[in-house]
Amino acid sequence: MDTATEKHSLTTLRDRLADYMDKKGLRSTAQRRLVTELFFKSDGHLSIEDLWAKVRRRDPKVGYATVYRTLKMLAESGIAYERKFGDGVSRYEVAHEDEHHDHLICTECGRIVEFEDEEIEKLQEALAKKAGFRLTRHVHELYGHCRDCQAKASA
Amino acid sequence: MDTATEKHSLTTLRDRLADYMDKKGLRSTAQRRLVTELFFKSDGHLSIEDLWAKVRRRDPKVGYATVYRTLKMLAESGIAYERKFGDGVSRYEVAHEDEHHDHLICTECGRIVEFEDEEIEKLQEALAKKAGFRLTRHVHELYGHCRDCQAKASA
DNA sequence: CTCGATGCAAATGCTTTGCAGAAAA
DNA sequence: TTTTCTGCAAAGCATTTGCATCGAG
C-alpha cells in the first residue's frame, strides 16, 4: 500500500490513467484531459450532465458523448465507479485504490454521505458463502432524511 | 399480527387489495383481476414484460400499459415492491406484511435468492443514526456467481 | 498518412402518458 | 349516465451508437 500522503493524490490517479491508456493504445486529447481533470478534482457522485456542465464552462464545444465516453473509459479502467441511485441517472465517482464505501442518501435534498462498515462487510460475505455465492460486488444504499431536512420538516 | 397459517395467504393479499381499491374508488375489471391473480401466484421478481407474457397466455388482448398500470397500483397500495437491479428493468414482488428481505443476484444466470439478516439491519440503523439520518428504506444487493455457475465455469 | 477520437444527430430500450372508445358503478 | 379503465400509439428520457470529419501519433 502507498503511504498515507500519496494514497489519494491526483498524481496517482493520473498515473493509473496514463498506464491504462498506454496499454490500450488510447490517445490523449485536449477533451479527455479536460474531462478527467475536472472529474478528478470534483467531490464525486457526478452525473454525466453535471460533469458536462463543468466541462462546457471551460470549453463550450465539447459534446455530451465525449464526456459520456470518457467516463465509461474511466469506469472500465477501474479509476471510476458507475453508480445508479434511485433516480434513473448514472453517477460517477473516483475509485480510490484499496478503499470501499457505501452511501446514505437524503431523499429530500439529495445529499449523499459515504459510509464504511467492516462488520457489515463481513456479515454479507459470510451470508453469501452460506448461500453458495462468490461475491463480485454489492450495492448498499440507505435512503432517508438527513438531519437538516428533519429540522426543516419540523420547523 | 395474523396467525402463521394465514400470514402469507392469497386471501390476505386479495383482501388488502380490495380494501385499497375500495378506499380509492378504483374499479374491479377483468384485466385487473387477471393481472393481480397471476402476480400473486408468481414467484416474485417479475418484470412488467414477464407478467405481460403470462397475462397474454390467458388473454392476448390485454395491453402492456394495463399490466404496467396495475403493477404501479399494487406498488402504491403497498402490496408490491418495485425493485431495480442493475439491468435497467423494473421488477415487482409481493410485499408480504411484516416481512423484509434483500437479494443475492447471480450475474451469470440471473438467479435471485432472498436473504434476511437482523444483525445487518441493526448495524445499518445504528450507523444511519450516527450520521443524523432517519431511514425510510434501503437497497442491499449482493452480486456474484451462484454455486451452479461456479461449477459450470470450472467444468 | 492512419487510425483512433469527436460532435452531432439519430437510434435504443424502457417507462410513462394522451386520448378515443369500452365498460364499471 | 358518469366516471374510470383499456389499448394503442406516441412521447419522454437517459443512454448508446453510426458516421463524417478532425487530429494525435
Side-chain angles (χ1 to χ4, degrees):
Chain A
M1 192 175 97
D2 296 337
T3 67
T5 44
E6 61 187 84
K7 183 168 76 171
H8 289 170
S9 74
L10 294 189
T11 313
T12 305
L13 289 171
R14 277 191 271 261
D15 288 350
R16 284 210 274 156
L17 179 57
D19 284 355
Y20 178 80
M21 292 180 70
D22 199 45
K23 193 163 24 182
K24 292 275 185 173
L26 301 174
R27 292 173 182 176
S28 175
T29 65
Q31 292 92 327
R32 280 184 178 165
R33 285 189 296 272
L34 179 57
V35 172
T36 55
E37 279 311 306
L38 290 175
F39 177 65
F40 289 161
K41 284 188 201 153
S42 299
D43 286 354
H45 312 114
L46 289 94
S47 65
I48 300 170
E49 195 81 30
D50 292 339
L51 188 53
W52 189 35
K54 281 174 191 277
V55 168
R56 296 226 291 187
R57 258 175 254 142
R58 296 274 205 89
D59 180 353
K61 290 188 296 307
V62 176
Y64 177 96
T66 297
V67 178
Y68 164 80
R69 284 187 276 231
T70 303
L71 283 171
K72 279 288 180 213
M73 174 188 77
L74 291 173
E76 273 191 42
S77 73
I79 291 167
Y81 284 132
E82 184 182 342
R83 311 238 181 225
K84 285 169 193 272
F85 299 123
D87 60 358
V89 185
S90 292
R91 290 171 191 284
Y92 295 80
E93 64 175 308
V94 173
H96 289 295
E97 282 178 317
D98 68 51
E99 185 192 292
H100 164 78
H101 62 256
D102 293 295
H103 301 84
L104 275 154
I105 299 127
C106 178
T107 49
E108 284 297 314
C109 68
R111 192 145 73 99
I112 299 173
V113 175
E114 301 175 354
F115 73 84
E116 264 187 281
D117 193 309
E118 269 300 323
E119 197 67 31
I120 290 176
E121 303 277 324
K122 273 183 214 154
L123 288 167
Q124 69 186 6
E125 194 58 56
L127 160 178
K129 191 171 180 183
K130 201 185 300 179
F133 274 65
R134 181 168 303 158
L135 294 186
T136 50
R137 67 192 184 86
H138 71 261
V139 173
H140 198 179
E141 298 154 4
L142 309 181
Y143 294 89
H145 304 296
C146 70
R147 208 190 311 269
D148 292 354
C149 290
Q150 287 174 52
K152 257 176 254 160
S154 60
Chain B
M1 194 175 95
D2 297 336
T3 67
T5 45
E6 61 186 85
K7 183 168 76 170
H8 289 171
S9 73
L10 294 189
T11 314
T12 305
L13 288 171
R14 277 193 271 264
D15 287 350
R16 285 210 274 155
L17 179 57
D19 284 355
Y20 178 81
M21 293 181 71
D22 199 46
K23 194 164 21 183
K24 291 275 187 174
L26 301 173
R27 292 173 182 177
S28 174
T29 66
Q31 291 92 328
R32 281 183 178 165
R33 285 189 296 271
L34 179 57
V35 172
T36 56
E37 279 311 305
L38 290 176
F39 177 65
F40 289 160
K41 284 188 201 153
S42 299
D43 286 355
H45 312 115
L46 288 94
S47 65
I48 301 171
E49 196 81 28
D50 292 339
L51 187 51
W52 188 35
K54 282 174 191 273
V55 167
R56 297 226 291 189
R57 260 176 253 141
R58 297 276 204 87
D59 180 355
K61 289 186 301 305
V62 175
Y64 177 96
T66 298
V67 177
Y68 163 80
R69 285 187 278 231
T70 303
L71 284 171
K72 279 287 180 211
M73 174 187 76
L74 291 173
E76 274 191 40
S77 72
I79 291 167
Y81 284 131
E82 184 182 344
R83 311 236 181 228
K84 284 169 193 272
F85 300 123
D87 61 358
V89 185
S90 293
R91 290 172 192 282
Y92 295 81
E93 64 174 308
V94 173
H96 289 295
E97 283 177 318
D98 67 51
E99 186 190 291
H100 164 78
H101 62 255
D102 293 295
H103 301 85
L104 275 155
I105 299 127
C106 178
T107 50
E108 284 297 316
C109 67
R111 191 146 74 99
I112 299 173
V113 176
E114 301 174 354
F115 74 84
E116 264 186 280
D117 193 309
E118 270 299 323
E119 198 66 31
I120 291 176
E121 303 276 324
K122 273 183 213 153
L123 287 167
Q124 68 187 6
E125 193 60 56
L127 161 177
K129 193 173 179 181
K130 201 186 299 179
F133 274 65
R134 182 168 301 157
L135 295 186
T136 50
R137 66 192 185 83
H138 70 261
V139 174
H140 198 177
E141 297 154 5
L142 308 181
Y143 294 89
H145 304 296
C146 70
R147 207 188 314 268
D148 292 355
C149 290
Q150 287 174 51
K152 257 175 256 162
S154 61

